[in-house]
mmCIF file with all atom_site columns, all heavy atoms in Angstrom:
data_model
loop_
_atom_site.group_PDB
_atom_site.id
_atom_site.type_symbol
_atom_site.label_atom_id
_atom_site.label_alt_id
_atom_site.label_comp_id
_atom_site.label_asym_id
_atom_site.label_entity_id
_atom_site.label_seq_id
_atom_site.pdbx_PDB_ins_code
_atom_site.Cartn_x
_atom_site.Cartn_y
_atom_site.Cartn_z
_atom_site.occupancy
_atom_site.B_iso_or_equiv
_atom_site.pdbx_formal_charge
_atom_site.auth_seq_id
_atom_site.auth_comp_id
_atom_site.auth_asym_id
_atom_site.auth_atom_id
_atom_site.pdbx_PDB_model_num
ATOM 1   N N   . GLU B 1 659 ? -44.204 10.551 58.847 1.00 0.00 ? 659 GLU B N   1
ATOM 2   C CA  . GLU B 1 659 ? -45.404 9.757  59.084 1.00 0.00 ? 659 GLU B CA  1
ATOM 3   C C   . GLU B 1 659 ? -45.063 8.340  59.557 1.00 0.00 ? 659 GLU B C   1
ATOM 4   O O   . GLU B 1 659 ? -45.903 7.632  60.070 1.00 0.00 ? 659 GLU B O   1
ATOM 5   C CB  . GLU B 1 659 ? -46.236 9.693  57.798 1.00 0.00 ? 659 GLU B CB  1
ATOM 6   C CG  . GLU B 1 659 ? -46.915 11.013 57.448 1.00 0.00 ? 659 GLU B CG  1
ATOM 7   C CD  . GLU B 1 659 ? -48.204 11.242 58.222 1.00 0.00 ? 659 GLU B CD  1
ATOM 8   O OE1 . GLU B 1 659 ? -48.127 11.413 59.451 1.00 0.00 ? 659 GLU B OE1 1
ATOM 9   O OE2 . GLU B 1 659 ? -49.280 11.242 57.581 1.00 0.00 ? 659 GLU B OE2 1
ATOM 10  N N   . ASP B 1 660 ? -43.810 7.907  59.356 1.00 0.00 ? 660 ASP B N   1
ATOM 11  C CA  . ASP B 1 660 ? -43.419 6.585  59.854 1.00 0.00 ? 660 ASP B CA  1
ATOM 12  C C   . ASP B 1 660 ? -42.801 6.670  61.249 1.00 0.00 ? 660 ASP B C   1
ATOM 13  O O   . ASP B 1 660 ? -42.248 5.699  61.736 1.00 0.00 ? 660 ASP B O   1
ATOM 14  C CB  . ASP B 1 660 ? -42.457 5.901  58.875 1.00 0.00 ? 660 ASP B CB  1
ATOM 15  C CG  . ASP B 1 660 ? -41.219 6.741  58.585 1.00 0.00 ? 660 ASP B CG  1
ATOM 16  O OD1 . ASP B 1 660 ? -41.080 7.830  59.188 1.00 0.00 ? 660 ASP B OD1 1
ATOM 17  O OD2 . ASP B 1 660 ? -40.398 6.329  57.751 1.00 0.00 ? 660 ASP B OD2 1
ATOM 18  N N   . GLY B 1 661 ? -42.880 7.868  61.871 1.00 0.00 ? 661 GLY B N   1
ATOM 19  C CA  . GLY B 1 661 ? -42.414 8.010  63.243 1.00 0.00 ? 661 GLY B CA  1
ATOM 20  C C   . GLY B 1 661 ? -40.930 8.267  63.377 1.00 0.00 ? 661 GLY B C   1
ATOM 21  O O   . GLY B 1 661 ? -40.412 8.388  64.491 1.00 0.00 ? 661 GLY B O   1
ATOM 22  N N   . VAL B 1 662 ? -40.230 8.346  62.249 1.00 0.00 ? 662 VAL B N   1
ATOM 23  C CA  . VAL B 1 662 ? -38.780 8.557  62.274 1.00 0.00 ? 662 VAL B CA  1
ATOM 24  C C   . VAL B 1 662 ? -38.480 10.050 62.423 1.00 0.00 ? 662 VAL B C   1
ATOM 25  O O   . VAL B 1 662 ? -39.159 10.891 61.832 1.00 0.00 ? 662 VAL B O   1
ATOM 26  C CB  . VAL B 1 662 ? -38.128 8.000  60.990 1.00 0.00 ? 662 VAL B CB  1
ATOM 27  C CG1 . VAL B 1 662 ? -36.683 8.438  60.869 1.00 0.00 ? 662 VAL B CG1 1
ATOM 28  C CG2 . VAL B 1 662 ? -38.235 6.479  60.977 1.00 0.00 ? 662 VAL B CG2 1
ATOM 29  N N   . VAL B 1 663 ? -37.441 10.367 63.225 1.00 0.00 ? 663 VAL B N   1
ATOM 30  C CA  . VAL B 1 663 ? -37.100 11.764 63.474 1.00 0.00 ? 663 VAL B CA  1
ATOM 31  C C   . VAL B 1 663 ? -36.720 12.446 62.157 1.00 0.00 ? 663 VAL B C   1
ATOM 32  O O   . VAL B 1 663 ? -35.871 11.956 61.413 1.00 0.00 ? 663 VAL B O   1
ATOM 33  C CB  . VAL B 1 663 ? -35.922 11.872 64.472 1.00 0.00 ? 663 VAL B CB  1
ATOM 34  C CG1 . VAL B 1 663 ? -35.570 13.324 64.713 1.00 0.00 ? 663 VAL B CG1 1
ATOM 35  C CG2 . VAL B 1 663 ? -36.285 11.175 65.769 1.00 0.00 ? 663 VAL B CG2 1
ATOM 36  N N   . LEU B 1 664 ? -37.396 13.554 61.864 1.00 0.00 ? 664 LEU B N   1
ATOM 37  C CA  . LEU B 1 664 ? -37.202 14.256 60.601 1.00 0.00 ? 664 LEU B CA  1
ATOM 38  C C   . LEU B 1 664 ? -36.347 15.504 60.788 1.00 0.00 ? 664 LEU B C   1
ATOM 39  O O   . LEU B 1 664 ? -35.474 15.811 59.976 1.00 0.00 ? 664 LEU B O   1
ATOM 40  C CB  . LEU B 1 664 ? -38.577 14.645 60.040 1.00 0.00 ? 664 LEU B CB  1
ATOM 41  C CG  . LEU B 1 664 ? -38.632 15.489 58.779 1.00 0.00 ? 664 LEU B CG  1
ATOM 42  C CD1 . LEU B 1 664 ? -38.283 14.626 57.576 1.00 0.00 ? 664 LEU B CD1 1
ATOM 43  C CD2 . LEU B 1 664 ? -40.014 16.100 58.600 1.00 0.00 ? 664 LEU B CD2 1
ATOM 44  N N   . ASP B 1 665 ? -36.599 16.247 61.836 1.00 0.00 ? 665 ASP B N   1
ATOM 45  C CA  . ASP B 1 665 ? -35.890 17.512 62.039 1.00 0.00 ? 665 ASP B CA  1
ATOM 46  C C   . ASP B 1 665 ? -36.174 17.979 63.462 1.00 0.00 ? 665 ASP B C   1
ATOM 47  O O   . ASP B 1 665 ? -37.065 17.438 64.130 1.00 0.00 ? 665 ASP B O   1
ATOM 48  C CB  . ASP B 1 665 ? -36.358 18.567 61.041 1.00 0.00 ? 665 ASP B CB  1
ATOM 49  C CG  . ASP B 1 665 ? -35.303 19.651 60.826 1.00 0.00 ? 665 ASP B CG  1
ATOM 50  O OD1 . ASP B 1 665 ? -34.375 19.414 60.040 1.00 0.00 ? 665 ASP B OD1 1
ATOM 51  O OD2 . ASP B 1 665 ? -35.405 20.725 61.451 1.00 0.00 ? 665 ASP B OD2 1
ATOM 52  N N   . ASP B 1 666 ? -35.409 18.954 63.923 1.00 0.00 ? 666 ASP B N   1
ATOM 53  C CA  . ASP B 1 666 ? -35.735 19.581 65.202 1.00 0.00 ? 666 ASP B CA  1
ATOM 54  C C   . ASP B 1 666 ? -35.272 21.021 65.184 1.00 0.00 ? 666 ASP B C   1
ATOM 55  O O   . ASP B 1 666 ? -34.546 21.439 64.277 1.00 0.00 ? 666 ASP B O   1
ATOM 56  C CB  . ASP B 1 666 ? -35.145 18.803 66.378 1.00 0.00 ? 666 ASP B CB  1
ATOM 57  C CG  . ASP B 1 666 ? -33.614 18.914 66.455 1.00 0.00 ? 666 ASP B CG  1
ATOM 58  O OD1 . ASP B 1 666 ? -32.997 19.324 65.446 1.00 0.00 ? 666 ASP B OD1 1
ATOM 59  O OD2 . ASP B 1 666 ? -33.050 18.573 67.502 1.00 0.00 ? 666 ASP B OD2 1
ATOM 60  N N   . GLY B 1 667 ? -35.727 21.778 66.156 1.00 0.00 ? 667 GLY B N   1
ATOM 61  C CA  . GLY B 1 667 ? -35.357 23.182 66.221 1.00 0.00 ? 667 GLY B CA  1
ATOM 62  C C   . GLY B 1 667 ? -36.288 23.909 67.166 1.00 0.00 ? 667 GLY B C   1
ATOM 63  O O   . GLY B 1 667 ? -37.174 23.298 67.782 1.00 0.00 ? 667 GLY B O   1
ATOM 64  N N   . VAL B 1 668 ? -36.060 25.211 67.283 1.00 0.00 ? 668 VAL B N   1
ATOM 65  C CA  . VAL B 1 668 ? -36.922 26.002 68.159 1.00 0.00 ? 668 VAL B CA  1
ATOM 66  C C   . VAL B 1 668 ? -37.800 26.915 67.312 1.00 0.00 ? 668 VAL B C   1
ATOM 67  O O   . VAL B 1 668 ? -37.416 27.323 66.214 1.00 0.00 ? 668 VAL B O   1
ATOM 68  C CB  . VAL B 1 668 ? -36.121 26.856 69.157 1.00 0.00 ? 668 VAL B CB  1
ATOM 69  C CG1 . VAL B 1 668 ? -35.320 25.975 70.099 1.00 0.00 ? 668 VAL B CG1 1
ATOM 70  C CG2 . VAL B 1 668 ? -35.225 27.825 68.430 1.00 0.00 ? 668 VAL B CG2 1
ATOM 71  N N   . THR B 1 669 ? -38.975 27.183 67.833 1.00 0.00 ? 669 THR B N   1
ATOM 72  C CA  . THR B 1 669 ? -39.885 28.115 67.187 1.00 0.00 ? 669 THR B CA  1
ATOM 73  C C   . THR B 1 669 ? -40.320 29.127 68.231 1.00 0.00 ? 669 THR B C   1
ATOM 74  O O   . THR B 1 669 ? -40.609 28.761 69.371 1.00 0.00 ? 669 THR B O   1
ATOM 75  C CB  . THR B 1 669 ? -41.091 27.366 66.600 1.00 0.00 ? 669 THR B CB  1
ATOM 76  O OG1 . THR B 1 669 ? -40.636 26.590 65.499 1.00 0.00 ? 669 THR B OG1 1
ATOM 77  C CG2 . THR B 1 669 ? -42.172 28.328 66.124 1.00 0.00 ? 669 THR B CG2 1
ATOM 78  N N   . GLY B 1 670 ? -40.305 30.370 67.840 1.00 0.00 ? 670 GLY B N   1
ATOM 79  C CA  . GLY B 1 670 ? -40.674 31.412 68.782 1.00 0.00 ? 670 GLY B CA  1
ATOM 80  C C   . GLY B 1 670 ? -41.878 32.197 68.280 1.00 0.00 ? 670 GLY B C   1
ATOM 81  O O   . GLY B 1 670 ? -42.109 32.293 67.076 1.00 0.00 ? 670 GLY B O   1
ATOM 82  N N   . ARG B 1 671 ? -42.629 32.739 69.247 1.00 0.00 ? 671 ARG B N   1
ATOM 83  C CA  . ARG B 1 671 ? -43.796 33.539 68.885 1.00 0.00 ? 671 ARG B CA  1
ATOM 84  C C   . ARG B 1 671 ? -43.422 35.012 68.969 1.00 0.00 ? 671 ARG B C   1
ATOM 85  O O   . ARG B 1 671 ? -43.119 35.533 70.036 1.00 0.00 ? 671 ARG B O   1
ATOM 86  C CB  . ARG B 1 671 ? -44.963 33.224 69.814 1.00 0.00 ? 671 ARG B CB  1
ATOM 87  C CG  . ARG B 1 671 ? -46.244 33.876 69.368 1.00 0.00 ? 671 ARG B CG  1
ATOM 88  C CD  . ARG B 1 671 ? -47.439 33.339 70.125 1.00 0.00 ? 671 ARG B CD  1
ATOM 89  N NE  . ARG B 1 671 ? -48.686 33.845 69.561 1.00 0.00 ? 671 ARG B NE  1
ATOM 90  C CZ  . ARG B 1 671 ? -49.867 33.547 70.059 1.00 0.00 ? 671 ARG B CZ  1
ATOM 91  N NH1 . ARG B 1 671 ? -49.975 32.742 71.112 1.00 0.00 ? 671 ARG B NH1 1
ATOM 92  N NH2 . ARG B 1 671 ? -50.975 34.027 69.506 1.00 0.00 ? 671 ARG B NH2 1
ATOM 93  N N   . LEU B 1 672 ? -43.477 35.687 67.817 1.00 0.00 ? 672 LEU B N   1
ATOM 94  C CA  . LEU B 1 672 ? -43.056 37.080 67.744 1.00 0.00 ? 672 LEU B CA  1
ATOM 95  C C   . LEU B 1 672 ? -44.234 38.025 67.904 1.00 0.00 ? 672 LEU B C   1
ATOM 96  O O   . LEU B 1 672 ? -44.081 39.164 68.337 1.00 0.00 ? 672 LEU B O   1
ATOM 97  C CB  . LEU B 1 672 ? -42.363 37.353 66.417 1.00 0.00 ? 672 LEU B CB  1
ATOM 98  C CG  . LEU B 1 672 ? -41.209 36.402 66.072 1.00 0.00 ? 672 LEU B CG  1
ATOM 99  C CD1 . LEU B 1 672 ? -40.768 36.598 64.631 1.00 0.00 ? 672 LEU B CD1 1
ATOM 100 C CD2 . LEU B 1 672 ? -40.036 36.621 67.017 1.00 0.00 ? 672 LEU B CD2 1
ATOM 101 N N   . GLY B 1 673 ? -45.426 37.558 67.530 1.00 0.00 ? 673 GLY B N   1
ATOM 102 C CA  . GLY B 1 673 ? -46.623 38.380 67.639 1.00 0.00 ? 673 GLY B CA  1
ATOM 103 C C   . GLY B 1 673 ? -47.815 37.465 67.724 1.00 0.00 ? 673 GLY B C   1
ATOM 104 O O   . GLY B 1 673 ? -47.659 36.235 67.714 1.00 0.00 ? 673 GLY B O   1
ATOM 105 N N   . SER B 1 674 ? -49.020 38.018 67.759 1.00 0.00 ? 674 SER B N   1
ATOM 106 C CA  . SER B 1 674 ? -50.167 37.144 67.949 1.00 0.00 ? 674 SER B CA  1
ATOM 107 C C   . SER B 1 674 ? -50.319 36.195 66.771 1.00 0.00 ? 674 SER B C   1
ATOM 108 O O   . SER B 1 674 ? -50.681 35.036 66.941 1.00 0.00 ? 674 SER B O   1
ATOM 109 C CB  . SER B 1 674 ? -51.439 37.970 68.154 1.00 0.00 ? 674 SER B CB  1
ATOM 110 O OG  . SER B 1 674 ? -51.718 38.696 66.974 1.00 0.00 ? 674 SER B OG  1
ATOM 111 N N   . GLU B 1 675 ? -50.022 36.652 65.557 1.00 0.00 ? 675 GLU B N   1
ATOM 112 C CA  . GLU B 1 675 ? -50.140 35.785 64.395 1.00 0.00 ? 675 GLU B CA  1
ATOM 113 C C   . GLU B 1 675 ? -48.832 35.729 63.613 1.00 0.00 ? 675 GLU B C   1
ATOM 114 O O   . GLU B 1 675 ? -48.816 35.689 62.394 1.00 0.00 ? 675 GLU B O   1
ATOM 115 C CB  . GLU B 1 675 ? -51.296 36.246 63.491 1.00 0.00 ? 675 GLU B CB  1
ATOM 116 C CG  . GLU B 1 675 ? -52.640 36.129 64.167 1.00 0.00 ? 675 GLU B CG  1
ATOM 117 C CD  . GLU B 1 675 ? -53.810 36.422 63.240 1.00 0.00 ? 675 GLU B CD  1
ATOM 118 O OE1 . GLU B 1 675 ? -53.562 36.735 62.070 1.00 0.00 ? 675 GLU B OE1 1
ATOM 119 O OE2 . GLU B 1 675 ? -54.955 36.346 63.711 1.00 0.00 ? 675 GLU B OE2 1
ATOM 120 N N   . HIS B 1 676 ? -47.732 35.804 64.331 1.00 0.00 ? 676 HIS B N   1
ATOM 121 C CA  . HIS B 1 676 ? -46.425 35.828 63.682 1.00 0.00 ? 676 HIS B CA  1
ATOM 122 C C   . HIS B 1 676 ? -45.441 34.984 64.482 1.00 0.00 ? 676 HIS B C   1
ATOM 123 O O   . HIS B 1 676 ? -45.179 35.260 65.649 1.00 0.00 ? 676 HIS B O   1
ATOM 124 C CB  . HIS B 1 676 ? -45.921 37.284 63.585 1.00 0.00 ? 676 HIS B CB  1
ATOM 125 C CG  . HIS B 1 676 ? -44.611 37.420 62.861 1.00 0.00 ? 676 HIS B CG  1
ATOM 126 N ND1 . HIS B 1 676 ? -43.837 38.549 62.939 1.00 0.00 ? 676 HIS B ND1 1
ATOM 127 C CD2 . HIS B 1 676 ? -43.941 36.582 62.051 1.00 0.00 ? 676 HIS B CD2 1
ATOM 128 C CE1 . HIS B 1 676 ? -42.739 38.400 62.207 1.00 0.00 ? 676 HIS B CE1 1
ATOM 129 N NE2 . HIS B 1 676 ? -42.784 37.198 61.655 1.00 0.00 ? 676 HIS B NE2 1
ATOM 130 N N   . TYR B 1 677 ? -44.896 33.927 63.857 1.00 0.00 ? 677 TYR B N   1
ATOM 131 C CA  . TYR B 1 677 ? -43.926 33.027 64.494 1.00 0.00 ? 677 TYR B CA  1
ATOM 132 C C   . TYR B 1 677 ? -42.696 32.925 63.593 1.00 0.00 ? 677 TYR B C   1
ATOM 133 O O   . TYR B 1 677 ? -42.778 33.129 62.383 1.00 0.00 ? 677 TYR B O   1
ATOM 134 C CB  . TYR B 1 677 ? -44.502 31.613 64.654 1.00 0.00 ? 677 TYR B CB  1
ATOM 135 C CG  . TYR B 1 677 ? -45.624 31.466 65.665 1.00 0.00 ? 677 TYR B CG  1
ATOM 136 C CD1 . TYR B 1 677 ? -46.848 32.111 65.477 1.00 0.00 ? 677 TYR B CD1 1
ATOM 137 C CD2 . TYR B 1 677 ? -45.478 30.642 66.773 1.00 0.00 ? 677 TYR B CD2 1
ATOM 138 C CE1 . TYR B 1 677 ? -47.891 31.950 66.390 1.00 0.00 ? 677 TYR B CE1 1
ATOM 139 C CE2 . TYR B 1 677 ? -46.509 30.464 67.687 1.00 0.00 ? 677 TYR B CE2 1
ATOM 140 C CZ  . TYR B 1 677 ? -47.714 31.122 67.496 1.00 0.00 ? 677 TYR B CZ  1
ATOM 141 O OH  . TYR B 1 677 ? -48.728 30.956 68.385 1.00 0.00 ? 677 TYR B OH  1
ATOM 142 N N   . LEU B 1 678 ? -41.582 32.576 64.214 1.00 0.00 ? 678 LEU B N   1
ATOM 143 C CA  . LEU B 1 678 ? -40.394 32.241 63.424 1.00 0.00 ? 678 LEU B CA  1
ATOM 144 C C   . LEU B 1 678 ? -39.972 30.824 63.799 1.00 0.00 ? 678 LEU B C   1
ATOM 145 O O   . LEU B 1 678 ? -39.720 30.532 64.966 1.00 0.00 ? 678 LEU B O   1
ATOM 146 C CB  . LEU B 1 678 ? -39.250 33.228 63.682 1.00 0.00 ? 678 LEU B CB  1
ATOM 147 C CG  . LEU B 1 678 ? -38.073 33.092 62.711 1.00 0.00 ? 678 LEU B CG  1
ATOM 148 C CD1 . LEU B 1 678 ? -38.467 33.473 61.288 1.00 0.00 ? 678 LEU B CD1 1
ATOM 149 C CD2 . LEU B 1 678 ? -36.899 33.966 63.154 1.00 0.00 ? 678 LEU B CD2 1
ATOM 150 N N   . MET B 1 679 ? -39.952 29.953 62.788 1.00 0.00 ? 679 MET B N   1
ATOM 151 C CA  . MET B 1 679 ? -39.553 28.563 63.006 1.00 0.00 ? 679 MET B CA  1
ATOM 152 C C   . MET B 1 679 ? -38.108 28.398 62.564 1.00 0.00 ? 679 MET B C   1
ATOM 153 O O   . MET B 1 679 ? -37.739 28.890 61.498 1.00 0.00 ? 679 MET B O   1
ATOM 154 C CB  . MET B 1 679 ? -40.450 27.637 62.184 1.00 0.00 ? 679 MET B CB  1
ATOM 155 C CG  . MET B 1 679 ? -40.006 26.172 62.174 1.00 0.00 ? 679 MET B CG  1
ATOM 156 S SD  . MET B 1 679 ? -40.982 25.160 61.018 1.00 0.00 ? 679 MET B SD  1
ATOM 157 C CE  . MET B 1 679 ? -42.470 24.931 61.974 1.00 0.00 ? 679 MET B CE  1
ATOM 158 N N   . THR B 1 680 ? -37.292 27.745 63.376 1.00 0.00 ? 680 THR B N   1
ATOM 159 C CA  . THR B 1 680 ? -35.941 27.424 62.915 1.00 0.00 ? 680 THR B CA  1
ATOM 160 C C   . THR B 1 680 ? -35.847 25.915 62.718 1.00 0.00 ? 680 THR B C   1
ATOM 161 O O   . THR B 1 680 ? -36.498 25.143 63.415 1.00 0.00 ? 680 THR B O   1
ATOM 162 C CB  . THR B 1 680 ? -34.853 27.893 63.892 1.00 0.00 ? 680 THR B CB  1
ATOM 163 O OG1 . THR B 1 680 ? -34.928 27.117 65.087 1.00 0.00 ? 680 THR B OG1 1
ATOM 164 C CG2 . THR B 1 680 ? -34.998 29.369 64.226 1.00 0.00 ? 680 THR B CG2 1
ATOM 165 N N   . THR B 1 681 ? -35.045 25.543 61.721 1.00 0.00 ? 681 THR B N   1
ATOM 166 C CA  . THR B 1 681 ? -34.831 24.128 61.409 1.00 0.00 ? 681 THR B CA  1
ATOM 167 C C   . THR B 1 681 ? -33.339 23.860 61.443 1.00 0.00 ? 681 THR B C   1
ATOM 168 O O   . THR B 1 681 ? -32.534 24.790 61.559 1.00 0.00 ? 681 THR B O   1
ATOM 169 C CB  . THR B 1 681 ? -35.351 23.783 60.001 1.00 0.00 ? 681 THR B CB  1
ATOM 170 O OG1 . THR B 1 681 ? -34.455 24.329 59.023 1.00 0.00 ? 681 THR B OG1 1
ATOM 171 C CG2 . THR B 1 681 ? -36.743 24.366 59.771 1.00 0.00 ? 681 THR B CG2 1
ATOM 172 N N   . THR B 1 682 ? -32.961 22.605 61.315 1.00 0.00 ? 682 THR B N   1
ATOM 173 C CA  . THR B 1 682 ? -31.536 22.304 61.170 1.00 0.00 ? 682 THR B CA  1
ATOM 174 C C   . THR B 1 682 ? -31.042 22.937 59.871 1.00 0.00 ? 682 THR B C   1
ATOM 175 O O   . THR B 1 682 ? -31.824 23.183 58.959 1.00 0.00 ? 682 THR B O   1
ATOM 176 C CB  . THR B 1 682 ? -31.282 20.792 61.109 1.00 0.00 ? 682 THR B CB  1
ATOM 177 O OG1 . THR B 1 682 ? -31.973 20.258 59.985 1.00 0.00 ? 682 THR B OG1 1
ATOM 178 C CG2 . THR B 1 682 ? -31.772 20.110 62.375 1.00 0.00 ? 682 THR B CG2 1
#
Side-chain angles (χ1 to χ4, degrees):
Chain B
E659 289 279 67
D660 56 3
V662 169
V663 180
L664 175 75
D665 204 81
D666 70 344
V668 297
T669 291
R671 188 169 188 181
L672 307 169
S674 65
E675 296 187 359
H676 183 196
Y677 291 64
L678 190 66
M679 172 187 282
T680 68
T681 74
T682 60

